[in-house]
Amino acid sequence: MGLSRLAALHGVATSYSPSAGVTVAVPDDTVTAVLAALGVAADSPEAVEEALAAADARADSRLLPPTVVVWSGEPLPAALTALPAGTALTVEPETAPGATGTPEPLRMRVPGAPRTGASGRPPAAWWAEPPLGVHRLAVRTPDQRQEASTLVVAPARAPRPPARTQGFLVQLYSLLSGRSWGMGDLGDLADLAAWAGRTLGSGFIQVNPLHAAFPGRPTDPSPYRPSSRRFPDPVHLHVESIPEYGQVRARAVLDDLRQDAAALSEAVLNKGAHIDRDAVWELKRQALELVHQVELTPGRRAAYCDYLAAQGQALEDHALWCALAEVHGPDWHTWPEPLRDPRSPETARARAELMERVDFHCRLVWLTELQLADAQRAATDAGMGVGIVHDLAVGVHPAGSDTWALRDAYALGMSVGAPPDAFNARGQDWGLPPWRPDALAASGYAPYRALLRGLLAHAGALRIDHVMGLFRLWWVPEGKPPTEGAYVSQDGEAMLAVLVLEAHRAGAVVMGEDLGTVEPGVREALARRGVLGTSVLWFERDWEGTGRPVPPEQWRADCLATATTHDLPSTAAKLSGDHVRLRDGLGLLARPLEEELTEDATDTAEWLGYLARLRLLPEGGGDEEAAVRAVHRFLLATPARMVGVWLPDTVGDRRPQNLPGTWDQYPNWRLPVADGEGRPMTLEQITASPRLHRLMEALRP
C-alpha cells in the first residue's frame, strides 16, 4: 500500500490496461526501479516510509506546483485562485526572443474579497495578465511564507493551417536527385518544395526527423534514434550550395570527391545498392573539411558569430561531444571518467585543446541551419501555406550528445517503449531514455523549450512522434522485458502549454502522431489546444460499433489525413497484399500465410467496395493505379485540414521504408523511392511521372 501511494505521488502507475476490461499489475521491483531513476529510494519498507514522509512534507509546504500554467484569456487555474487572501505575487517576465532590455516586474495581490467573478474569470482588479512567455512567479503570504515557481502564459490555441491543404510526405534520404551525393539532401528538399508549390499548388512537404545521428560504423540509420534532437545533422547538407565551396583551392580533390559521390548515387539508382549513409558522410566530411579552411567573408563571419551567441552553451556542448567522440568513440559512457561530466575541469581543458574541431562542428550546424531556412523559404516563395513540416522524434540515443550534455535531465537506465497490447503481446522497447519529469519541471522546462524553439525556427509545422508522450510514457528498466515496464506521467498541461507557446511564436502548425493506445482525454486536450491529430485511412473503422469504415464526413477536421506512414505498407502494397508476403518471407507472421492473406484481402475488399459505392472508383475494380487514386479521393472527401500523400505512393512503390520488427533482415531507412517494379527513381523522374500527375490531378479541388 505504501509503495503504491509513493508511486502515485511521483506519477508512476502501478497497473495498466492492455485492453478494455483488463487490468495488469506492474511488478513491485519495476516500480522500485522506476522510483530509483526518479531519485526516490523505495527498496525497503523503511525507505518507502521515509520517502512518503518527505513527499508529504513537500506537498504540505508548497503553495504552488513547480510550474503554473495560465491559458491567455481563460479562467485562472485553481493553484492561483486558492492562494491565501493578501498573498503578494511578483512576476518577472522573460525577455521575449529577439527583444532587448529587461521587462518590468508585475506585482499583484490576492484580495480578501471573493477571488473570482460570476463568470469564473479572475477579477482584473488583482490579476494583471503577463505577456505570453515563461516567467518567474514569486509569492509571499501574509505570514511571510515565500516560494517561487515557473509561470507559463500560453495562447489558448496553436496556429491553424489553411482551411484545406494537401502536400507530400517523404523520407528525405530516399529522395535522390541527379546532383545528390548518394542520398537526398536539403537542396533536393528545396527543389521538391518549389516544384510542388508552383506546379501542384501543394501546401506542405513533411520530412523525417533531420536530427543529428549517433555516429558509428555502421551508423544507426533510423532517424528516430538520434544523438541529439536539438541540432540537425550536416549529412543533409548540399555541399555545393555552401558559398565557401567555390573558394576551395583544392579543386582536384573536390572533383574526385564529387565523382565518388556520383558513383554512390549510381550504385543506388541503377545497381540495386542500398543508401549508405556512412559512405555519404565520409565523402561530405572530407569536402566540408576543405570548405572549413576557407575564410568567411566579414558579413558571413558576423552572421556566424551571431549564431554562436544565440545558441550559447547548448551548441558548444554538442560540438564538443562531436569532437570528443572523434577521439574516444561515440559512447560517452566509455570515455575517461572525468570527460563523462561536461562541466568537469578535465572537460574544460579538452574543450580548449579541441577548439578547432569544436569550431568545425559548430560551423557545420550553422551551415545546416542556413539550408533548412533556405528550404522553408523555397516552400513559402512557391506559395505553400505551411511549407516544411519537420518531425520530432520521441527520444534520443542513450549514449549520444543530448544525454551527455543534459544527463541530469534524463532517466538513464530506463528506456521508453510500449506495453503489451492486442497487436504486440511482448510489448516494445525503443532503446530511448526518457526525460525525468521532475528535472524538467525544476528547470522550468528549459531543455524542452530550447528543443522546440530550435526545431520551429525553420519550420512551417512540426509533427510530434508519439504525441501521447507529452502526458505519459512507458518506462522499461534496463535488463527487464517490455512487459515489465510502467507508465510514468508528467505535467501534460505544462508540456502542452510550452508547445503551444513556441508554436505561436514561430507561427507554426503542430500535429501529433496519436495512433494506437491513447490515454482517455489526451486527444480531447490536444484538439482543444489546436494540435492536429493523425488519421490513417486503413485504421479509420468504427471499432466500438459495426467495425465498418468510418464515413468520410465523420472524420475529424483537425487532423492530417493520410493513406499510410513510414512504418506502414505503401498503398500499392496494401492493395496487392504484397506487404503480407514480404512479412512471410522474413518469418514475421504469427499465422499461416493463407490466413493472413485472406484476412488482409477481406479488409481491402471492404474498403474498395465502400469506395465504389461512394463513386470514388469510377474506373471499377482490378486497376491498382485507379484504386490508389480512389483512396486519395476519399481522403479529400473528409473534412481533414491537411491531406498528406506519401510520395512513394505517387509512383507505385511497393516497398516500406521501415518494417517494424526487423533490424538487419530488411534494409530499413536505406531505400530510395522506386516505381512499382522496384526501380529507383530520381527526383527529376518522380516529378515528371505521368502516374504522379494523374494522381495529383484527381486531388485538385
Side-chain angles (χ1 to χ4, degrees):
M1 184 66 178
L3 182 63
S4 295
R5 181 166 170 264
L6 181 63
L9 289 173
H10 291 86
V12 182
T14 54
S15 65
Y16 68 96
S17 298
S19 58
V22 177
T23 300
V24 177
V26 173
D28 284 354
D29 57 345
T30 293
V31 176
T32 300
V34 171
L35 285 170
L38 293 169
V40 181
D43 51 356
S44 69
E46 295 76 18
V48 170
E49 288 302 315
E50 184 177 340
L52 276 172
D56 288 340
R58 284 195 302 272
D60 290 342
S61 66
R62 283 205 67 92
L63 294 164
L64 293 171
T67 299
V68 178
V69 172
V70 171
W71 297 100
S72 182
E74 296 187 5
L76 287 181
L80 291 177
T81 60
L83 288 170
T87 296
L89 297 86
T90 302
V91 177
E92 297 178 7
E94 72 165 339
T95 301
T100 58
T102 302
E104 288 294 321
L106 298 176
R107 305 186 190 281
M108 295 164 267
R109 186 177 299 276
V110 179
R115 297 187 180 91
T116 58
S119 67
R121 294 191 180 278
W126 78 272
W127 177 255
E129 185 165 292
L132 299 177
V134 180
H135 316 301
R136 183 180 184 275
L137 170 63
V139 297
R140 187 181 70 252
T141 64
D143 60 2
Q144 301 306 304
R145 293 170 64 194
Q146 299 186 56
E147 191 171 284
S149 293
T150 298
L151 174 66
V152 181
V153 182
R157 291 179 62 87
R160 286 179 176 269
R164 163 56 66 89
T165 186
Q166 55 84 3
F168 290 115
L169 287 60
V170 65
Q171 300 283 291
L172 180 56
Y173 58 83
S174 72
L175 186 71
L176 282 74
S177 69
R179 66 180 188 179
S180 299
W181 286 43
M183 63 182 279
D185 59 38
L186 290 169
D188 299 322
L189 177 59
D191 276 355
L192 176 65
W195 169 80
R198 289 187 166 88
T199 305
L200 304 175
S202 298
F204 64 92
I205 304 289
Q206 179 181 305
V207 295
N208 54 285
L210 304 182
H211 310 318
F214 185 77
R217 298 291 294 188
T219 298
D220 184 345
S222 172
Y224 291 92
R225 200 166 183 250
S227 173
S228 173
R229 295 186 294 175
R230 174 64 185 83
F231 297 105
D233 197 311
V235 76
H236 300 112
L237 282 167
H238 179 244
V239 180
E240 293 98 321
S241 293
I242 300 171
E244 289 73 35
Y245 180 88
Q247 305 304 314
V248 172
R249 293 183 178 180
R251 303 309 302 177
V253 178
L254 282 184
D255 289 343
D256 288 344
L257 291 173
R258 189 65 188 87
Q259 288 181 8
D260 290 343
L264 283 180
S265 292
E266 169 71 13
V268 171
L269 294 170
N270 296 315
K271 298 180 180 179
H274 299 143
I275 292 169
D276 187 341
R277 181 193 180 99
D278 292 329
V280 171
W281 174 238
E282 179 58 27
L283 295 178
K284 288 192 176 184
R285 183 194 60 76
Q286 293 180 53
L288 292 166
E289 297 274 8
L290 295 173
V291 170
H292 187 66
Q293 296 173 13
V294 177
E295 185 72 23
L296 295 173
T297 64
R300 293 266 290 172
R301 169 62 62 181
Y304 176 49
C305 290
D306 283 350
Y307 179 77
L308 292 175
Q311 301 305 314
Q313 186 75 58
L315 175 59
E316 192 173 325
D317 284 345
H318 173 68
L320 177 58
W321 182 91
C322 294
L324 287 169
E326 293 174 338
V327 177
H328 300 288
D331 185 349
W332 60 266
H333 299 91
T334 66
W335 294 354
E337 182 70 36
L339 297 181
R340 300 176 198 175
D341 179 0
R343 303 292 169 252
S344 72
E346 291 81 0
T347 301
R349 283 196 292 272
R351 191 185 306 262
E353 293 167 359
L354 296 170
M355 187 52 66
E356 183 176 339
R357 297 306 297 170
V358 171
D359 182 65
F360 174 67
H361 290 290
C362 284
R363 182 93 65 92
L364 294 189
V365 173
W366 174 61
L367 293 172
T368 310
E369 294 266 17
L370 291 177
Q371 290 195 6
L372 287 168
D374 289 342
Q376 175 63 6
R377 189 177 306 110
T380 55
D381 287 350
M384 286 191 168
V386 175
I388 308 302
V389 181
H390 287 285
D391 198 351
L392 171 60
V394 71
V396 295
H397 195 287
S401 163
D402 281 1
T403 57
W404 177 73
L406 300 167
R407 63 178 182 174
D408 291 341
Y410 285 93
L412 302 180
M414 294 286 146
S415 178
V416 171
D421 57 27
F423 300 99
N424 191 333
R426 293 177 294 181
Q428 300 174 55
D429 182 344
W430 302 332
L432 308 169
W435 264 331
R436 284 183 53 164
D438 57 330
L440 276 185
S443 72
Y445 295 87
Y448 176 54
R449 289 154 48 200
L451 169 61
L452 292 174
R453 194 167 296 176
L455 287 170
L456 289 165
H458 311 301
L462 180 65
R463 174 192 180 270
I464 300 179
D465 191 44
H466 196 72
V467 72
M468 300 82 79
L470 297 181
F471 299 84
R472 69 175 185 180
L473 283 169
W474 183 256
W475 288 24
V476 181
E478 185 176 352
K480 288 186 174 293
T483 52
E484 296 182 23
Y487 274 119
V488 178
S489 298
Q490 55 191 350
D491 188 344
E493 185 87 345
M495 295 288 282
L496 187 54
V498 171
L499 172 63
V500 171
L501 171 64
E502 294 299 337
H504 168 81
R505 284 173 162 170
V509 176
V510 182
M511 63 190 71
E513 185 268 304
D514 58 349
L515 305 174
T517 302
V518 183
E519 186 180 8
V522 166
R523 283 196 177 102
E524 293 77 8
L526 294 169
R528 187 166 59 252
R529 299 305 172 193
V531 178
L532 306 186
T534 301
S535 294
V536 177
L537 179 135
W538 308 108
F539 298 158
E540 290 295 314
R541 287 179 174 273
D542 180 13
W543 299 111
E544 297 180 0
T546 64
R548 295 173 181 167
V550 175
E553 67 273 8
Q554 293 181 18
W555 282 40
R556 53 183 171 172
D558 290 333
C559 77
L560 167 66
T562 71
T564 190
T565 73
H566 58 266
D567 283 334
L568 296 172
S570 70
T571 304
K574 167 63 178 170
L575 292 169
S576 65
D578 280 1
H579 68 110
V580 178
R581 285 181 279 272
L582 172 63
R583 293 180 64 82
D584 177 64
L586 295 172
L588 299 176
L589 296 185
R591 296 180 297 168
L593 173 61
E594 290 307 315
E595 287 185 28
E596 296 274 3
L597 282 172
T598 299
E599 180 178 291
D600 185 68
T602 300
D603 175 77
T604 301
E606 183 176 8
W607 269 104
L608 290 177
Y610 186 47
L611 295 175
R613 290 194 298 276
L614 293 175
R615 299 183 179 180
L616 298 174
L617 187 54
E619 300 90 344
D623 184 334
E624 176 193 287
E625 184 182 340
V628 172
R629 289 198 296 270
V631 163
H632 288 87
R633 288 189 186 107
F634 180 95
L635 296 177
L636 205 64
T638 73
R641 288 183 172 274
M642 300 178 71
V643 174
V645 180
W646 179 236
L647 189 64
D649 273 352
T650 66
V651 291
D653 198 343
R654 281 174 152 70
R655 305 176 304 175
Q657 283 294 315
N658 178 49
L659 189 59
T662 63
W663 175 243
D664 56 359
Q665 308 98 313
Y666 184 81
N668 294 320
W669 318 112
R670 287 174 287 165
L671 294 174
V673 177
D675 65 14
E677 302 301 319
R679 293 185 294 260
M681 301 180 69
T682 64
L683 171 60
E684 293 84 357
Q685 291 169 330
I686 293 168
T687 57
S689 165
R691 177 166 176 157
L692 178 147
H693 285 276
R694 287 192 293 268
L695 173 59
M696 300 313 294
E697 183 63 31
L699 290 183
R700 289 189 182 276

